[in-house]
Amino acid sequence: MIGSERKRKRISLVADKGHFVVYTADQSRFVVPLKYLKSQVFRELLELAKQEYGLPRNGPITVPCEALCMENMIMLIQDCGSATNLETSLCKPTAGSRCF
């Protein structure tokens, strides 16, 4: 039973095919489709992560925003359907937000 429990735990830490995992500054975990890398805004967020935290070595990617900001970005990407629409749709962050 212990071996199967470990296997389930290990599998749950791995993203499904076509996805990758990022963590926000407040340690929330997001499984993100690779197609989001087509969005200029998402690529800029990853560039900010690289500048703030450096490139991850054997660990997860952490982005410099809170979970609420990440949820909003994902919602905008899903709703807008294209990177061009997203870039024109983004709102200014709320006070205290660490995202854009």
Side-chain angles (χ1 to χ4, degrees):
M1 192 79 162
I2 291 175
S4 64
E5 287 175 12
R6 271 193 222 145
K7 185 176 180 181
R8 272 193 305 241
K9 189 172 184 179
R10 184 176 63 228
I11 290 171
S12 68
L13 296 176
V14 177
D16 292 336
K17 184 175 180 177
H19 294 76
F20 64 102
V21 174
V22 296
Y23 286 85
T24 57
D26 57 357
Q27 298 302 306
S28 293
R29 182 178 189 265
F30 288 84
V31 179
V32 181
L34 288 172
K35 67 182 180 180
Y36 285 14
L37 294 174
K38 293 179 183 177
S39 166
Q40 181 64 32
V41 172
F42 200 84
R43 288 195 311 266
E44 288 179 22
L45 178 62
L46 292 176
E47 183 61 35
L48 288 173
K50 180 177 135 184
Q51 291 171 7
E52 185 154 336
Y53 304 117
L55 294 173
R57 301 197 180 222
N58 301 328
I61 297 170
T62 301
V63 293
C65 67
E66 297 172 358
L68 181 59
C69 178
M70 188 66 156
E71 289 170 5
N72 289 336
M73 183 181 302
I74 289 170
M75 185 175 63
L76 283 170
I77 292 171
Q78 291 171 345
D79 290 348
C80 292
S82 77
T84 303
N85 291 338
L86 174 63
E87 274 82 41
T88 60
S89 299
L90 282 175
C91 299
K92 293 189 180 209
T94 58
S97 173
R98 296 188 61 215
C99 196
F100 305 114

